[in-house]
Amino acid sequence: MKCLLSYLSVVLLILTSCKNQNTEGKKLYNQHCIHCHQEGGKGVGKLIPPISGAFLKDHEEDLACFLQHGMKGEIMVDGVSYNHEMPPNDKLTKFDMVNMLNYLEEKYGTGRTDKYNVERVQKMLNGCP
Amino acid sequence: MERNYINIISAALLFILFSCKGQDHYNLKYYGERTLDTNGDTIYYTVPDFSFTDQDGKEVTKSTVEGKVYVTDFFFTTCPTICPRMKDQMLRLYNEFKDEKDVKLVSHTIDPRHDSVAVLHDFAYNKLELTPGTWHFVTGEQQKIYDMARAYMVVAGEDGTAPGGYVHSGKFILLDRKGHIRGYYDGTDPLAVADLMRDMKTLLVEK
């Protein structure tokens, strides 16, 4: 009986902690990203690009820098050109970035929930231009 | 005897349900100071005449919107915070009413130094992919634009501490065919904008 209880509580703990990780990412998206990228990451016309899985993949080593420092100049997203400045989000902590990038990868990319961790994000930030 | 009771109570409940519509959307408020004329009739507030230039280089004045239901707001193209949200919501209005000749949308830039006619032209036709006619993006003398915001009773102005350098209200202002202000809606809130669309339809048929 004790075994069963501890087994169940471990399972519950894992399930709820996994859920928290991506709920946190979603919360961060709604706080910091939604005013430009809108619900469902759909963007606004040719003004604001959508959140694109292809873009997330092509720039997987730069994403933390985009969050930290913003983006200026022309970029291509899914074959369309955009040229509207993305402001820096330098108040985000490394942990925020891990949660947000994993949320974006899960929702708009491959569906993987653990692509990013703190070490990877820190490495990216160290290498920002 | 028992059955009658139930019928009466159900009828009463249904009556209450249908009469409790909450906010009355069929008699929209009038905003702003009002005065009485010599006949004792109410004169409702209207904004003063204005003259700005739109993204096609054409002059936009009060006569551009005369007799039309129009929605107006204040923004700037380099705005890093709420403006894309507002534009996305106003796109809903545009898509709903673009074939309605009696509806106009007027967006004022509060950064005319940067937002020239050329910039607004690119914004309207390349960035938002609009067709001309319904939605006017207007620029002009900075002080006159700020005066206009005051006339519509919303906030807009320079603020060095704000992201982008300007602070402005996210409100959409709704005016009827006679130029009276009939509603304010949070342009960042999809539910408020749904209310706005319904109220625009009310004003289109209002006598």
Side-chain angles (χ1 to χ4, degrees):
Chain A
M1 187 58 184
K2 240 194 226 171
C3 277
L4 185 64
L5 276 175
S6 41
Y7 173 76
L8 279 175
S9 50
V10 168
V11 168
L12 209 64
L13 196 66
I14 292 171
L15 284 176
T16 49
S17 59
C18 285
K19 194 173 174 4
N20 281 341
Q21 206 171 26
N22 288 315
T23 324
E24 187 59 33
K26 182 173 184 173
K27 242 199 300 184
L28 288 164
Y29 181 88
N30 288 344
Q31 269 175 313
H32 299 278
C33 317
I34 207 168
H35 282 298
C36 284
H37 292 287
Q38 313 300 324
E39 283 105 354
K42 66 178 181 66
V44 183
K46 292 213 163 71
L47 182 69
I48 310 276
I51 309 290
S52 144
F55 187 89
L56 291 174
K57 179 162 199 308
D58 290 339
H59 297 272
E60 61 190 4
E61 299 307 328
D62 307 309
L63 295 177
C65 296
F66 295 158
L67 291 177
Q68 176 86 339
H69 300 290
M71 270 196 276
K72 273 193 183 135
E74 189 181 350
I75 61 168
M76 295 297 288
V77 179
D78 295 341
V80 178
S81 160
Y82 298 87
N83 197 345
H84 190 81
E85 186 177 335
M86 171 161 145
N89 281 280
D90 49 12
K91 300 265 172 17
L92 293 173
T93 65
K94 284 190 296 257
F95 306 98
D96 289 337
M97 292 193 191
V98 169
N99 282 327
M100 197 187 291
L101 293 177
N102 281 332
Y103 167 72
L104 295 179
E105 181 65 23
E106 189 196 2
K107 195 166 162 80
Y108 302 103
T110 58
R112 193 178 156 188
T113 56
D114 62 352
K115 180 168 180 180
Y116 296 94
N117 56 30
V118 180
E119 288 77 30
R120 191 165 176 179
V121 165
Q122 185 61 65
K123 193 151 174 263
M124 277 196 264
L125 291 173
N126 290 341
C128 290
Chain B
M1 185 66 175
E2 205 176 39
R3 198 169 289 168
N4 280 343
Y5 238 167
I6 290 172
N7 280 348
I8 290 168
I9 291 175
S10 320
L13 281 174
L14 278 172
F15 178 76
I16 292 169
L17 200 69
F18 282 113
S19 52
C20 284
K21 273 187 278 196
Q23 194 188 348
D24 188 350
H25 292 291
Y26 300 100
N27 286 302
L28 296 170
K29 274 182 68 175
Y30 285 85
Y31 289 82
E33 279 182 37
R34 57 196 70 175
T35 54
L36 294 177
D37 68 7
T38 46
N39 293 329
D41 293 324
T42 315
I43 305 177
Y44 295 108
Y45 175 77
T46 52
V47 298
D49 199 2
F50 50 83
S51 172
F52 299 119
T53 310
D54 75 4
Q55 72 272 24
D56 298 321
K58 301 217 174 79
E59 197 194 7
V60 172
T61 67
K62 249 183 127 170
S63 48
T64 313
V65 293
E66 204 173 310
K68 303 198 198 299
V69 171
Y70 79 101
V71 177
T72 187
D73 71 340
F74 293 80
F75 85 115
F76 56 113
T77 62
T78 57
C79 166
T81 55
I82 62 174
C83 300
R85 179 66 139 176
M86 289 167 72
K87 292 301 137 230
D88 190 61
Q89 290 302 311
M90 202 168 268
L91 267 171
R92 285 174 68 191
L93 301 181
Y94 170 80
N95 287 324
E96 180 77 14
F97 293 103
K98 63 180 186 276
D99 297 322
E100 171 61 65
K101 60 172 178 57
D102 285 350
V103 167
K104 285 280 189 190
L105 307 173
V106 181
S107 290
H108 306 76
T109 178
I110 58 173
D111 182 10
R113 265 189 305 256
H114 177 274
D115 292 343
S116 60
V117 168
V119 167
L120 293 174
H121 190 277
D122 173 70
F123 192 84
Y125 301 124
N126 296 331
K127 299 275 156 54
L128 296 183
E129 302 177 290
L130 310 173
T131 50
T134 303
W135 194 347
H136 300 271
F137 292 83
V138 299
T139 184
E141 233 182 271
Q142 183 155 28
Q143 191 52 54
K144 294 218 159 67
I145 294 180
Y146 292 168
D147 290 344
M148 210 61 227
R150 226 187 322 278
Y152 286 115
M153 300 185 287
V154 292
V155 169
E158 275 179 282
D159 183 344
T161 64
Y166 295 89
V167 63
H168 65 100
S169 163
K171 296 257 186 266
F172 291 166
I173 307 128
L174 172 63
L175 293 99
D176 64 20
R177 293 178 189 267
K178 301 205 180 84
H180 301 127
I181 302 177
R182 305 298 295 277
Y184 290 85
Y185 308 81
D186 180 354
T188 66
D189 176 3
L191 292 178
V193 174
D195 280 353
L196 169 55
M197 283 201 274
R198 184 203 37 225
D199 292 347
M200 285 167 77
K201 291 176 181 158
T202 301
L203 289 180
L204 278 168
V205 299
E206 192 183 66
K207 296 280 181 293

